[in-house]
Amino acid sequence: MEDLKAKYLTAIAEAADESALESLRVAAVGKKGEVSLKMRELGKMTPEERQVAGPALNALKDEINSALSAKKAALADAALDERLRSEWLDVTLPGRQRPAGTLHPISQVSEEVAAIFADMGFAVAEGPRVESDWYNFDALNIPGHHPARAEMDTFYMKRAEGDNRPPHVLRTHTSPVQIRSMQEHGAPLRVICPGGVYRCDYDQTHTPMFHQVEGLAIDKDISMANLKWVLEEFVRSYFEVDDVELRFRASHFPFTEPSAEVDIRCSWEGGQLKVGEGDDWLEILGSGMVHPKVLEAGGIDPAEWQGFAFGMGIDRIAMLKYGIPDLRAFFDSDLRWLRNYGFRALDVPTINAGLSR
Ligand code: DAH
């Protein structure tokens, strides 16, 4: 019995984990364990022998059981200590500051433009940036031989080998969304279409991707006078000045007839642009009365409806309003630039609460 006791108490003390402990329990006091087998032998003993061996075996069984549960508790404590050591965390360390994001000026200006035109009853429409050449050119009265196709430095998509259909293009302007809007909603119609456009060009004032906003108003009695009023109203709201003078210069676009380019009166003082005063003029957009062929392409009867359209560079008017000198910086994702020119994300521009304040 002394041998058994020594054997199991040593083994229990040295057990490395709970499963080793469990094997020892089975081997000692389990149903067929060594101590249990010894207890079965009690029946063959004389009453005198039994009186000595019985209590001694019970005592041994108790001693082994309590050694087992003490060791079990000790192993659990050790495991907890180990976890506390490995998962230790210095809560006195200073927090890591998260970089605060800002709204890109292009997003800000797009929101401002949408807010102003929404106030005049224009909805926002969008179209795909990969566009068919029909929407980008033909439907806008720019046939295959037209020089405007070459002038636009178009990016062409690649067709699969053996596919001879005309290739898709990266849209060179937002004007194709005019056609899609007419097809989708018919007349009367008032939409603006902001979004990215692409041309193969790169210098201080040109990037291969930039942004435009298209405007389109179709109704029975729309004239150049409505176009003029809407644009003046827009420029006044957008530049947040009371008085602005616009100059309409006769021009040519295939999709409008007559067409006009619009300049805004401004001054440059020490490289600082001031809108609304001075002796300089700055071109900000192209516009005109929608060409009958364009209305037809959009599924609208030109004998019944007419309208105006315009197209304006979003990046351009963002540079003007916020004094940003280099267009290329818009797309560099330089955090210092974004912190300087970015806007707080939760300040949504509205006509009443202020566009940029
Ligand atoms: N699509 C022209 C461009 O990309 C801009 C433009 C001019 C749009 C006159 C118009 C318009 O809707 O009427 O340069």
Side-chain angles (χ1 to χ4, degrees), residues 171-193:
R171 68 178 180 195
T172 56
H173 49 182
T174 43
S175 304
V177 191
Q178 282 188 27
I179 307 293
R180 291 181 175 276
S181 301
M182 288 190 257
Q183 287 179 333
E184 193 176 336
H185 303 291
L189 184 61
R190 261 186 254 179
V191 285
I192 57 161
C193 326

Side-chain angles (χ1 to χ4, degrees), residues 152 172-175 178 199 212 214-215 253 255-256 260 285-289 309-312:
M152 288 225 192
T172 56
H173 49 182
T174 43
S175 304
Q178 282 188 27
R199 287 180 206 177
Q212 289 188 334
E214 194 79 13
F253 298 103
F255 28 88
T256 44
L285 61 89
S287 65
M289 296 301 292
F310 61 87
M312 188 161 45

Side-chain angles (χ1 to χ4, degrees), residues 62-230:
D62 287 348
E63 206 167 342
I64 288 177
N65 272 330
S66 57
L68 282 168
S69 56
K71 181 67 181 180
K72 195 170 169 183
L75 282 174
D77 281 354
L80 182 62
D81 280 348
E82 179 50 35
R83 247 188 88 189
L84 287 173
R85 218 184 348 268
S86 64
E87 294 176 10
W88 181 82
L89 172 75
D90 184 354
V91 294
T92 67
L93 279 175
R96 196 175 295 157
Q97 212 177 3
R98 287 236 218 146
T102 57
L103 213 55
H104 195 283
I106 290 178
S107 303
Q108 168 73 19
V109 166
S110 302
E111 297 281 334
E112 292 182 23
V113 170
I116 296 167
F117 279 105
D119 205 48
M120 296 192 270
F122 286 74
V124 172
E126 286 182 314
R129 296 190 183 205
V130 176
E131 189 55 283
S132 75
D133 78 330
W134 187 82
Y135 278 106
N136 195 78
F137 295 123
D138 298 80
L140 290 159
N141 195 29
I142 313 174
H145 59 268
H146 199 284
R149 288 209 184 197
E151 276 163 29
M152 288 225 192
D153 304 309
T154 311
F155 287 113
Y156 289 92
M157 307 294 288
K158 209 169 169 168
R159 280 271 185 213
E161 197 83 39
D163 187 340
N164 293 323
R165 290 173 299 170
H168 279 59
V169 301
L170 293 182
R171 68 178 180 195
T172 56
H173 49 182
T174 43
S175 304
V177 191
Q178 282 188 27
I179 307 293
R180 291 181 175 276
S181 301
M182 288 190 257
Q183 287 179 333
E184 193 176 336
H185 303 291
L189 184 61
R190 261 186 254 179
V191 285
I192 57 161
C193 326
V197 300
Y198 301 82
R199 287 180 206 177
C200 187
D201 208 352
Y202 189 69
D203 60 34
Q204 192 177 344
T205 51
H206 297 90
T207 50
M209 190 272 312
F210 58 104
H211 300 82
Q212 289 188 334
V213 57
E214 194 79 13
L216 177 67
I218 310 252
D219 215 319
K220 301 229 158 164
D221 54 0
I222 294 232
S223 71
M224 289 291 273
N226 300 115
L227 169 66
K228 189 158 184 276
W229 182 86
V230 164

Side-chain angles (χ1 to χ4, degrees), residues 39-67:
M39 284 180 142
R40 267 186 231 170
E41 287 171 17
L42 285 174
K44 296 181 214 148
M45 292 181 187
T46 64
E48 291 75 21
E49 283 173 329
R50 203 181 299 141
Q51 242 170 13
V52 181
L57 273 174
N58 270 326
L60 175 60
K61 190 178 165 193
D62 287 348
E63 206 167 342
I64 288 177
N65 272 330
S66 57

Side-chain angles (χ1 to χ4, degrees), residues 244-265:
V244 275
E245 207 181 321
L246 293 184
R247 181 171 76 176
F248 282 67
R249 240 180 326 105
S251 181
H252 175 263
F253 298 103
F255 28 88
T256 44
E257 182 61 38
S259 303
E261 280 175 293
V262 177
D263 306 332
I264 178 172
R265 189 185 277 285

